[in-house]
Amino acid sequence: SQVSRYALQFDIIEKDYAAFVKIQQPDDDEHGIAFSLEDIKKLWDNIKIDWVEYILIMIYTGMRIGEAVNLKKENVDLINGIIFGGNKTEKGMNRKIPIRDDIYPIIENLYKDSPTDYLFYNKNWIFKKKNNENKPIRENYFREKFYKTLETLGIEKHETHDCRKTLATFMSKYQLNEVQITDILGHENINTTNDYYIKVDEQEL
C-alpha cells in the first residue's frame, strides 16, 4: 500500500491497485488484546513472581520484545527517568521513553542487580549455568516465560505485543496528544497507532 501511494504521487500509476488486494487468511496478529485494568492489578499484586516485573515494564514503556531484551543499561538514564532508543523505524530507534514513577523502582533495582550489560536478565541462567555470559535473553525464551507467567496468574493468553497495545490504548484514553503518543511508541504517524494499537474497551463503550 505504501509503494502504491508512492507510485500514485509520482504518476507512475493512475489507480491504487493495492486497495483491492485481499489476503486469504485470518486477521493478522497486530490486532491483539490490550491488558485490562484487572490484569494489570493482578500483575502488581504478584510482583515478586519471576518475569512479572518484565511484563509490567513492557506495558508501561510500550517496548517491543526485541527492544526490551536488548535494552542495555547504558541507555537507561535513571537521573532523568528516560530510556533511550528502540528499533524497527528511524523514529523508533531515536526515541525517548519516559519511565513512569510506578515502575521506576523496578527499573532501578534491575539496573543495580543485573550482572550483565542488559537491563533484563535471567537470574537462574546467569548465576547457575553461564556465569560469564553477557548476552541478552533470547526472544523465544522470553516468550515462553511470558506465556507461562500469565498462565500461572490466571490471566488470559496475550502476545508480547499486547503490552505495547495496552500503553497505546491508555495514552489515548487519558488524552495524550498525537505527538506524545507517536514519540513514545516510535511511530511515524498516528494512523499506525490508531489502526493497529488503540483499542477501546467494552466497559468504556
Side-chain angles (χ1 to χ4, degrees), residues 37-83:
L37 287 172
E38 291 76 13
D39 292 338
I40 295 172
K41 183 179 185 304
K42 189 175 287 188
L43 288 166
W44 279 111
D45 289 344
N46 293 277
I47 190 67
K48 297 299 183 183
I49 293 178
D50 280 350
W51 300 87
V52 167
E53 56 193 3
Y54 294 161
I55 297 172
L56 285 169
I57 290 173
M58 290 179 68
I59 289 173
Y60 281 77
T61 62
M63 286 191 293
R64 300 175 179 92
I65 182 173
E67 295 170 340
V69 297
N70 287 290
L71 177 63
K72 288 192 171 182
K73 292 188 288 186
E74 64 188 36
N75 293 322
V76 178
D77 181 353
L78 291 174
I79 295 175
N80 295 300
I82 297 288
I83 292 171

Side-chain angles (χ1 to χ4, degrees), residues 106-162:
I106 300 174
I107 291 177
E108 184 180 34
N109 288 335
L110 288 173
Y111 188 98
K112 293 176 180 176
D113 294 342
S114 174
T116 74
D117 290 337
Y118 300 89
L119 188 70
F120 286 20
Y121 68 100
N122 182 346
K123 298 167 187 175
N124 293 329
W125 180 54
I126 293 295
F127 294 124
K128 294 181 181 177
K129 295 183 180 179
K130 298 185 178 181
N131 293 325
N132 297 319
E133 280 285 5
N134 190 23
K135 295 180 180 178
I137 299 170
R138 290 182 296 107
E139 289 186 27
N140 286 342
Y141 183 76
F142 186 94
R143 281 193 181 90
E144 290 175 18
K145 292 293 187 180
F146 179 90
Y147 298 143
K148 185 65 178 175
T149 302
L150 295 184
E151 182 182 349
T152 299
L153 297 179
I155 297 174
E156 68 174 298
K157 185 173 180 180
H158 286 272
E159 298 300 323
T160 55
H161 214 73
D162 291 350

